[in-house]
């Protein structure tokens, strides 16, 4: 059950570097610049996130987005295993420092630390009182400075997370 919750959390968590946009959803997805689309392979499943030219995220199963006056996403509803789940975000200096949700009856809180390139270095999670930490290593970056590959270890199993990024010209 823990592994299933972790896999689901990985699909949701990827929802952090300042860009000149009205909305900061690109930063929420650990990217910067004029990002048009991010396609991420998460445990054999593709997740596609698109962005308007002003930086607003569009993802299947996401609704009810609430933004602050500066364009930072504060909360949204996402569909996880056919259930609507509310996710809240806390920002500091243009990066998500934590997010919280209740997933299948378990409170899930995550906090993030960042590397010198602005990508997540580690993610600490608390699944209903059970702490877990995932460190991200072996980053590969595209020509725009956004990560396209990184490795992590989840419950003793090493995984490589990959994504492709399309940009507005």
């Amino acid at each position: 059950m823990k592994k299933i919750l972790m896999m689901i959390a990985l699909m949701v968590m990827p929802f952090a570097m300042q860009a000149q946009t009205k909305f900061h959803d690109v930063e929420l997805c650990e990217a910067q610049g004029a990002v048009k689309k991010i396609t991420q392979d998460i445990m054999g499943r593709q997740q596609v996130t698109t962005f308007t030219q002003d930086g607003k995220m569009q993802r299947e199963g996401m609704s009810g987005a609430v933004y602050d006056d500066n364009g930072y996403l504060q909360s949204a509803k996402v569909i996880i295993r056919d259930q609507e789940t509310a996710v809240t975000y806390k920002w500091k200096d243009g990066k998500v420092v934590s997010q919280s949700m209740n997933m299948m009856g378990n409170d899930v809180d995550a906090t993030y630390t960042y590397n010198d390139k602005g990508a997540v270095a580690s993610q600490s999670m608390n699944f209903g009182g059970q702490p877990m930490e995932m460190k991200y290593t072996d980053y590969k970056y595209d020509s725009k400075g956004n990560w396209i590959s990184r490795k992590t270890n989840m419950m003793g199993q090493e995984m490589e997370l990959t994504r492709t990024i399309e940009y507005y010209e």
Side-chain angles (χ1 to χ4, degrees), residues 95-155:
K95 295 183 183 343
V96 172
V97 292
S98 68
Q99 70 183 59
S100 301
M101 70 184 91
N102 185 289
M103 195 164 47
M104 296 187 285
N106 292 296
D107 288 329
V108 179
D109 298 307
T111 57
Y112 303 93
T113 61
Y114 294 85
N115 67 20
D116 60 350
K117 293 193 177 217
V120 172
S122 68
Q123 177 178 347
S124 298
M125 292 186 201
N126 185 323
F127 284 96
Q130 296 242 332
M132 300 177 134
E133 183 173 10
M134 294 182 357
K135 294 183 181 200
Y136 297 100
T137 61
D138 299 328
Y139 275 90
K140 293 179 185 160
Y141 295 89
D142 67 9
S143 63
K144 308 269 189 195
N146 289 315
W147 74 265
I148 54 172
S149 173
R150 67 183 178 187
K151 291 183 180 175
T152 191
N153 190 310
M154 183 175 75
M155 300 179 75

Side-chain angles (χ1 to χ4, degrees), residues 53-54 158 160:
Q53 285 190 305
D54 63 354
E158 188 172 286
E160 182 176 12

Side-chain angles (χ1 to χ4, degrees), residues 1-40:
M1 182 69 172
K2 260 197 239 181
K3 194 168 189 175
I4 290 172
L5 287 172
M6 279 297 291
M7 289 176 3
I8 292 169
L10 278 173
M11 288 188 277
V12 175
M13 296 296 179
F15 266 108
M17 242 158 210
Q18 283 291 74
Q20 298 300 317
T21 59
K22 179 177 178 183
F23 298 99
H24 297 279
D25 294 354
V26 171
E27 291 86 2
L28 182 65
C29 293
E30 294 179 73
Q32 61 182 344
V35 174
K36 183 177 188 176
K37 179 167 90 170
I38 297 175
T39 304
Q40 189 166 351

